[in-house]
Amino acid sequence: MEQYDVIIVGGGLAGLTAAIHLAKAGHEVLVFEKEPYPHHKVCGEYVSNEVLPYLKNLGVDLANFGAVTIDTLKFSTIKGAVLEVKLPLGGTGISRYAFDNLLYKQAEALGVTFVFESVTSITFQNTIFEVITGDSKMYTSRITIGSYGKRSVLDKQLKRSFIQQKSSWLAVKSHYSLDDFPVHEVGLHNFKGGYGGLSKTETGAVNFCYLVSYKSFQLEKGIDQFNEKVVSENPILKDFLYKAKPLFETPLTIAQISFHAKNPVEEHVLMCGDTAGLIHPLCGNGMAMAIHSAKIVSELIDTFLSGKEKDRKRMEQAYAKEWSRTFKRRLWLGRRLQSLLLNETLSNWAISLVAKQPWLLKQLIKNTHGKPIS
């Protein structure tokens, strides 16, 4: 049985960032991830610049890895009405294939241990966590972070309330080659039953990732037909899919995506990133929120492990309070915006209003993004 200060279940952006932060603070960290790096993940691959100062402090400078500078948002309705606006903070385009891998290498260089195996259970007894993997091995720690993504069998094992509710969303992602796609632009384009994002990554490929309701998707037979019959009703997306060349043999998908409210602490496990709460992709900063949540939890864990805060319950309460203060309003606003944009009548009315008063869109962007963190 192996013992660690911190076990992190899930090696995505939140998990890897927390691993780097805690390793730099001198703690023994173990990360579980299902498959070796590098690998692609379903993701919008646009990260708000609010987290760049913090990443640099951790020794990760995205500019050194060819990440794309993005300063403009292009928004379109189902019928193709278009609005463009400069992003207040701007963002960065980088694939999860590259981003996760560079964080992994930084964590590994700092002495973080990695086990590429699924976790089947997490239990807390007498101040110690017991984490069991699919091959029945047990690992223990004083602290466990859950950063395993949008949905997992662990949610059932931990009896999380949201997992009992129906989830009616599917995400689809693929990379495309299109030379004349605007380098510094991120697109947010609506279609019946969903919406998708377009932006360039460090390789020059364009990432197209969309979210769609099952109700809409199941009317067609497969992704190709759905793209042709539904997604392409938006003329912007129709033009893109006609001109662009797919680079993946088959698109990546993830099902049963839940936007229901979640608790940031469950059975003493500290939840990070999408595991703590999933923001709608249209808000454009899910990657930044995952990284920011890792910063918040890592700082509080460090105070506990170093003995500055000896009461576990107070540490957990402090995390839940700070997580709510930082993200709860953004998540609420994301749900409201989604309801608006998926209603064609309201969406067309809203973009007409914003076209006359562009400051409204800038204000929405500010309210779904944070300030730079260091």
Side-chain angles (χ1 to χ4, degrees):
M1 183 171 61
E2 298 183 33
Q3 299 179 350
Y4 295 85
D5 295 326
V6 183
I7 288 177
I8 301 173
V9 182
L13 293 179
L16 290 168
T17 301
I20 294 169
H21 188 131
L22 291 164
K24 286 174 70 71
H27 305 297
E28 292 291 325
V29 181
L30 167 64
V31 176
F32 287 101
E33 171 62 15
K34 288 184 289 187
E35 56 181 306
Y37 303 96
H39 52 262
H40 287 285
K41 288 187 176 181
V42 177
C43 184
E45 302 188 332
Y46 163 90
V47 58
S48 168
N49 285 344
E50 65 200 71
V51 298
L52 295 190
Y54 172 56
L55 288 173
K56 286 183 180 180
N57 187 55
L58 296 181
V60 178
D61 188 345
L62 298 185
N64 294 336
F65 297 90
V68 177
T69 299
I70 295 173
D71 60 15
T72 302
L73 168 66
K74 184 175 183 179
F75 176 88
S76 73
T77 62
I78 295 173
K79 298 299 183 183
V82 174
L83 177 65
E84 292 190 18
V85 64
K86 287 291 182 181
L87 294 164
L89 274 180
T92 299
I94 184 168
S95 70
R96 289 295 300 276
Y97 186 91
F99 200 172
D100 288 19
N101 195 49
L102 69 91
L103 291 173
Y104 161 65
K105 288 180 178 178
Q106 177 71 348
E108 194 176 42
L110 290 167
V112 175
T113 301
F114 284 84
V115 173
F116 296 104
E117 182 68 53
S118 296
V119 169
T120 57
S121 75
I122 303 170
T123 56
F124 180 76
Q125 296 181 3
N126 302 321
T127 76
I128 296 297
F129 286 94
E130 295 180 350
V131 178
I132 299 176
T133 60
D135 56 1
S136 300
K137 290 184 179 179
M138 180 187 291
Y139 302 78
T140 64
S141 64
R142 292 180 64 193
I143 294 287
T144 292
I145 296 174
S147 56
Y148 45 78
K150 301 171 180 63
R151 195 177 184 91
S152 167
V153 293
L154 291 173
D155 291 316
K156 290 185 178 180
Q157 188 254 319
L158 293 169
K159 299 178 181 178
R160 304 186 77 189
S161 59
F162 86 91
I163 203 71
Q164 307 300 327
Q165 303 178 62
K166 290 184 178 180
S167 299
S168 58
W169 296 98
L170 169 76
V172 179
K173 165 191 166 172
S174 189
H175 280 185
Y176 293 81
S177 173
L178 183 62
D179 292 336
D180 63 354
F181 186 88
V183 176
H184 305 296
E185 175 185 290
V186 59
L188 176 61
H189 306 291
N190 291 269
F191 53 84
K192 189 174 182 180
Y195 47 85
L198 291 170
S199 60
K200 276 210 168 184
T201 66
E202 78 289 344
T203 65
V206 180
N207 181 52
F208 180 34
C209 186
Y210 64 78
L211 187 74
V212 59
S213 68
Y214 281 121
K215 183 178 180 181
S216 179
F217 186 78
Q218 290 176 341
L219 296 176
E220 306 297 338
K221 296 179 180 179
I223 293 172
D224 290 341
Q225 186 168 327
F226 183 77
N227 287 348
E228 180 183 349
K229 296 290 183 64
V230 180
V231 175
S232 292
E233 286 184 359
N234 181 316
I236 305 291
L237 294 175
K238 180 179 181 179
D239 184 63
F240 172 79
L241 291 171
Y242 176 76
K243 293 179 178 178
K245 177 183 177 182
L247 298 177
F248 290 179
E249 186 173 336
T250 56
L252 303 180
T253 61
I254 183 169
Q256 299 185 62
I257 298 174
S258 172
F259 293 101
H260 295 108
K262 304 175 184 178
N263 294 323
V265 182
E266 296 275 13
E267 300 294 326
H268 302 286
V269 180
L270 305 172
M271 303 300 185
C272 259
D274 290 346
T275 313
L278 181 62
I279 193 167
H280 292 276
L282 61 90
C283 293
N285 68 337
M287 292 168 74
M289 282 180 57
I291 293 164
H292 193 173
S293 68
K295 176 181 185 291
I296 295 169
V297 80
S298 297
E299 289 172 343
L300 289 166
I301 288 171
D302 184 47
T303 65
F304 180 75
L305 293 177
S306 63
K308 296 176 184 177
E309 170 58 79
K310 293 182 171 58
D311 190 294
R312 182 186 295 271
K313 185 175 181 180
R314 278 203 302 263
M315 183 268 291
E316 292 173 355
Q317 289 173 338
Y319 176 57
K321 182 178 180 180
E322 183 61 18
W323 192 94
S324 180
R325 186 191 70 81
T326 306
F327 302 122
K328 190 173 181 179
R329 187 170 182 271
R330 295 193 219 176
L331 294 169
W332 178 88
L333 185 56
R335 288 192 288 269
R336 302 290 80 75
L337 285 173
Q338 185 183 54
S339 298
L340 171 66
L341 293 179
L342 292 181
N343 183 305
E344 187 173 351
T345 301
L346 289 177
S347 177
N348 286 323
W349 171 82
I351 198 170
S352 298
L353 177 63
V354 172
K356 296 174 183 177
Q357 302 183 64
W359 65 270
L360 286 172
L361 184 56
K362 287 188 177 182
Q363 193 63 35
L364 284 173
I365 295 169
K366 286 182 180 179
N367 285 327
T368 55
H369 290 63
K371 296 179 180 178
I373 60 172
S374 60

